[in-house]
Amino acid sequence: MASTMLSLASTTPSASLSTQEILKGKARLGSGRVGTLLNKEKGNPFIKAKSFGRISMTAAVNVSRFEGVAMAPPDPILGVSEAFRADTDVKKLNLGVGAYRTEELQPYVLDVVKKAENLMLERGENKEYLAIEGLAAFNKATAELLFGADNPVIKQQRVATVQGLSGTGSLRLAAAFIERYFPGAQVLISSPTWGNHKNIFNDARVPWSEYRYYDPKTVGLDFEGMISDIKAAPDGSFVLLHGCAHNPTGIDPTPEQWEKICDVIQEKNHIPFFDVAYQGFASGSLDADASSVRLFAARGMELFIAQSYSKNLGLYAERIGAINVVCSSADAAARVKSQLKRIARPMYSNPPVHGARIVANVVGDPALFNEWKAEMEMMAGRIKNVRQKLFDSLSAKDKSGKDWSFILKQIGMFSFTGLNKTQSENMTNKWHVYLTKDGRISLAGLSLAKCEYLADAIIDSYHNKFCNNVHWYYIPVSFDWILDPGLHKSK
Amino acid sequence: MNPELASPSSSSDRRISVLARHLAGVEMDSKNDSISAFPTSGSDNNSVFSHVVRGPEDPILGVTVAYNKDPSPVKLNLGVGAYRTEEGKPLVLNVVRKAELLLVNDRSRVKEYLPITGLAEFNKLSAKLMFGANCPAIQENRVTTVQCLSGTGSLRVGAEFLAKHYLQRTIYIPQPTWGNHPKIFTLAGLSVKTYRYYDPATRGLNFQGLVEDLSSASSGAIVLLHACAHNPTGVDPTFQQWEQIRKLMRSKGLMPFFDSAYQGFASGNLDADAQPVRMFVADGGELLLAQSYAKNMGLYGERIGALSIVCKTADVAARVESQLKLVIRPMYSNPPIHGASIVAAILKNRDLYNEWTIELKAMADRIISMRQKLFEALRARGTPGDWSHIVKQIGMFTFTGLNSKQVSFMTKEYHIYMTSDGRISMAGLSSKTVPHLADAIHAAVKQVV
């Protein structure tokens, strides 16, 4: 009970919502209601909204029916982007971006994607509705990519795969499925995690609580805390795990740690729920990046996996991903798939065809597939190089003896620098380096040429500005993570 | 409702909570809900999904699934409303191909995330298309438009917004309406009521029933209106009737929520088909509008549409838009770019736009001619009954008036695939296939009651 209330409290700071109200569906855990709540003049929205409504109904037509709608808080990430755009300093650097940039800091459309699109246009394919579950060729390709074509779960047809709207959409389908078929079950999410995870579960009305993950002292994984919290949760909880390249920390468990995590999840009859947004993009190897998922599948467990092709195929705006549910039998997989469809139909009927065809074409053609692997290695390689250069610059310039090796140990697009809010503000105000207030930088937005400058900024901020010796690694305000990308997005 | 059910820690608690949800009347297709043993109870070690039953195929999209399975060479798919050429083939508009070529050859194009609200250019152009380029509401910045996933997505986002922020959570939908409407609204958190619409006796509009039901609706309730080419009946109010509906709704403070899936497809003229919506905007009032480009631009699989909310003031519109983002972000973050780029490219280019209107009219005209041919074919066979509704109804669909037994008969004996409510998609007919359909209808009417 307490942990559920905690999860609600952290998203609705100024109102206490009884769980009774939530079960009745009256409370909207989504941020929309919080937006209203934050408008203090309105008071308790459940009372005020109604009485205001009665007043407005008898008043003349001049009053808007939506007068009571509060302005949602401005997006913190967008604010970063806007401030970056407004900044005229030539040295400015945007490390809030969650999209890959070249060394020239330009967006990148993969060559294989351009080739696939040209092929598609030449073929003159039609634009008929896809099935509710999406493009069959895509669904087959995506499951095989995740598990390996020879994996027993594939051969035994035990995976229910439904095309979804990139990672977010796939997570949302799964969340809605959990709400419907596992009522009351909660999802354990890492502290910290990608900010939109909470919004997704809130809007789907799935309770969540957190397990310890990031250890600010080591700038690494709080493994004991993680295991302990997973053990403490009620049996049969869902455990949200990042398949690789944890967002926002960049800190992944080691293979040995993954085995232990799997053990404790099995002991507790928990259901693993992987968010895989970086397969191939983290290490450069599609298989290596899928090893955590494959480990769990090999144990014979049932699990959920949300996939995204935003980063690894650079298909951000095409919204292409999938939800996969590994079941203990082909029959269960068929039933689960049919119910996922019933969730998708009243949400958007059927998914968009364009991104699905691109993926199917790239994965389905051996030449294109190999080219893709090479481009992915190139992207992952660039990020690794940048990590190395940043580490080298920091080590060379910083005389304090601080260990900066976490930059090399972390993996993926992001790095948790360990800088707190005040220090992050110094980065921006003094050095014109834009990052999120939790100290997360996007290496995808860093070029080799800028590493030295960034090192100077980090060293200065770290040593000269701190706040009560306390490291803030997570800001418990719900909207820090809401994104309105424009040009920039984190994840 | 027992608050202790909030975070049940045992499997029996969870079983009870599933039961409690049923008793609390949580809207679900209860026949598809199992209340058998909770999976981790230990009684079934095989799967945590043992309680998940197989869902039925979607009644509309399932028609195509069944059609695909049929090996008969004379089979006819009149289920889902997707346009077919005279040769029975899907159609990608020439103007769409041109737009795609432009896009693929534009080397400056990238695939960066769109904003949560979608492609700004697309949003502005969509609003202008429906409301008119000189619409005061647009000029006064009182309209917020957000790109969504075709009609369904626009309806769902609008409904979720209303459920969160609007004073009334009841929506009135016409009887009958598109099969997916009730599910969209229910899952969004609205409670669904109906108003009379179709009159089986006349196979036309039950205007009196409509007026009575809207008059007795709770003040401030939301009302779903089909902007034109009502689905499934093809029966639209006249302009005079629309004007009466408008006055009635405004007097009761009912909130209009338009579903516009066929602009330009109904009459062949984009402005004519937009008239009912424009009437409601012209009186200065507020409304919601879901737009789809699935049919009129043939962009079905691209999932491109828009939700517009016309508000009293620019300030309200800005606040409403900010809240729409909070609905969208946890659903799919931001919308897909491809379809939006195609629509924007066509709408903003004078030549492409004109070409589009011509292709659109050709599609609408072909459908009108199919109506005529089917009507004549039934007359020629002397099929009992008055079939004039086939030519009076408008848009892609005809509500034949056939009952579900007759429909089953037609499927079984003649391999005609259609929804069980007797709705046929005229877009799926051709001159060659009209005789077969006419034979099927004739046989069904004579042999099955």
Side-chain angles (χ1 to χ4, degrees), chain A residues 143-144 146-160 293-294 296-303 305 325-330 333:
Chain A
E144 289 180 359
L146 183 60
F147 297 105
D150 293 327
N151 195 302
V153 304
I154 302 262
K155 295 207 118 88
Q156 293 160 16
Q157 298 180 309
R158 294 198 279 118
V159 188
V293 171
R294 293 178 188 183
F296 280 66
R299 295 268 194 111
M301 298 172 85
E302 294 181 303
L303 62 151
I305 306 108
V325 187
V326 180
C327 309
S328 60
S329 67

Side-chain angles (χ1 to χ4, degrees), chain B residues 333-404:
Chain B
S333 284
N334 39 65
I337 193 175
H338 197 69
S341 306
I342 294 173
V343 175
I346 292 171
L347 293 182
K348 72 180 183 184
N349 178 303
R350 174 143 301 237
D351 293 332
L352 292 178
Y353 180 86
N354 289 335
E355 273 195 58
W356 173 45
T357 59
I358 293 168
E359 287 192 84
L360 184 52
K361 184 156 194 315
M363 289 196 286
D365 286 347
R366 195 183 90 68
I367 287 177
I368 291 169
S369 83
M370 288 302 105
R371 289 184 177 279
Q372 195 60 38
K373 288 201 154 75
L374 180 62
F375 175 65
E376 283 159 14
L378 291 170
R379 246 201 339 203
R381 284 157 180 70
T383 309
D386 175 6
W387 297 97
S388 62
H389 56 282
I390 294 181
V391 289
K392 284 190 210 145
Q393 290 166 5
I394 192 170
M396 211 178 247
F397 301 109
T398 291
F399 224 36
T400 54
L402 297 163
N403 64 40
S404 58

Side-chain angles (χ1 to χ4, degrees), chain A residues 1 4 19-20 23-24 26 28 30-33 35-36 53 56-57 61-67 69-72 99 101 107 109 113 117-118 121 124-129 132 165 168-169 172 177 179-185 194 196 199-200 203 205 234-236 269 271 302 304 310-311 314-319 325-328 332 334-336 338-339 341-342 345-354 358 481-487 489 491, chain B residues 1-3 5-9 14 17-18 21 28-29 32-33 38-40 46-58 60-61 80 82 84 90 92 96-97 100-101 104 109-116 149 152-153 156 160-169 178 180 183-184 187-189 219 253 255 286 288 294-295 298-303 309 311-312 316 318-320 322-323 325-327 329-338 342:
Chain A
M1 188 72 143
T4 310
T19 44
Q20 188 167 3
L23 280 175
K24 279 184 178 163
K26 275 189 183 159
R28 296 293 167 202
S31 328
R33 184 57 74 188
T36 313
S56 68
M57 280 180 220
V61 183
N62 293 325
V63 181
S64 168
R65 295 282 168 199
F66 306 114
E67 185 52 47
V69 174
M71 181 65 93
R101 293 283 175 271
V109 179
V113 168
E117 285 188 306
N118 277 309
L121 203 56
E125 287 161 335
N126 68 44
K127 296 194 179 293
E128 294 301 287
Y129 289 122
I132 302 176
L165 290 145
T168 309
R172 181 58 178 264
F177 180 88
E179 192 271 344
R180 193 175 269 193
Y181 289 99
F182 298 87
W194 179 49
N196 204 27
N199 298 329
I200 293 168
D203 270 31
R205 282 181 279 170
D235 280 29
N269 282 322
I271 301 169
E302 294 181 303
F304 288 70
S310 291
K311 285 77 174 183
L315 293 176
Y316 307 92
E318 302 289 353
R319 315 314 293 132
V325 187
V326 180
C327 309
S328 60
R335 286 183 275 117
V336 167
S338 73
Q339 295 298 348
K341 284 162 66 168
R342 285 184 61 236
R345 173 57 158 159
M347 208 183 274
Y348 50 81
S349 280
N350 36 64
V353 67
H354 197 73
I358 294 174
W481 306 92
I482 293 171
L483 306 176
D484 188 351
L487 295 176
K489 182 176 154 68
K491 183 178 177 176
Chain B
M1 184 78 144
N2 188 345
L5 297 172
S7 70
S9 56
R14 280 189 255 221
S17 87
V18 173
R21 281 158 62 92
M28 280 214 235
D29 288 348
N32 289 318
D33 264 327
F38 189 79
T40 62
N46 281 343
S47 174
V48 300
F49 305 114
S50 57
H51 64 312
V52 176
V53 298
R54 191 175 199 125
E57 283 293 350
D58 179 84
I60 300 173
L61 303 176
V80 70
R84 292 285 175 270
V92 178
V96 166
R97 289 282 184 233
E100 281 194 305
L101 206 54
V104 102
R109 285 184 61 76
V110 293
K111 292 197 181 293
E112 296 302 290
Y113 290 120
L114 287 177
I116 300 177
L149 287 133
T152 308
R156 180 63 179 262
E160 295 253 346
F161 168 80
L162 290 170
K164 274 194 170 101
H165 296 282
Y166 187 60
L167 343 136
Q168 257 264 29
R169 290 207 183 118
W178 180 46
N180 205 20
K183 295 174 201 147
I184 295 170
L187 283 185
S219 182
M255 175 62 72
E286 297 176 316
L288 287 88
K295 283 86 173 171
L299 293 175
Y300 308 92
E302 303 288 353
R303 316 311 295 131
I309 304 188
C311 308
K312 273 285 168 194
V316 169
R319 290 187 264 127
V320 164
S322 74
Q323 293 293 346
K325 290 188 203 173
L326 298 189
V327 170
R329 172 56 163 160
M331 210 185 270
Y332 51 85
S333 284
N334 39 65
I337 193 175
H338 197 69
I342 294 173

Side-chain angles (χ1 to χ4, degrees), chain A residues 112 116 119 123 135 137-142 144-145 309 313 356-372:
Chain A
V112 282
L119 271 173
R123 271 190 226 121
L135 185 68
F138 165 79
N139 288 342
K140 181 171 186 293
T142 199
E144 289 180 359
L145 207 63
Y309 289 89
L313 253 174
R357 280 193 178 140
I358 294 174
V359 176
N361 275 295
V362 168
V363 175
D365 177 301
L368 288 179
F369 186 60
N370 286 332
E371 271 194 58
W372 176 35

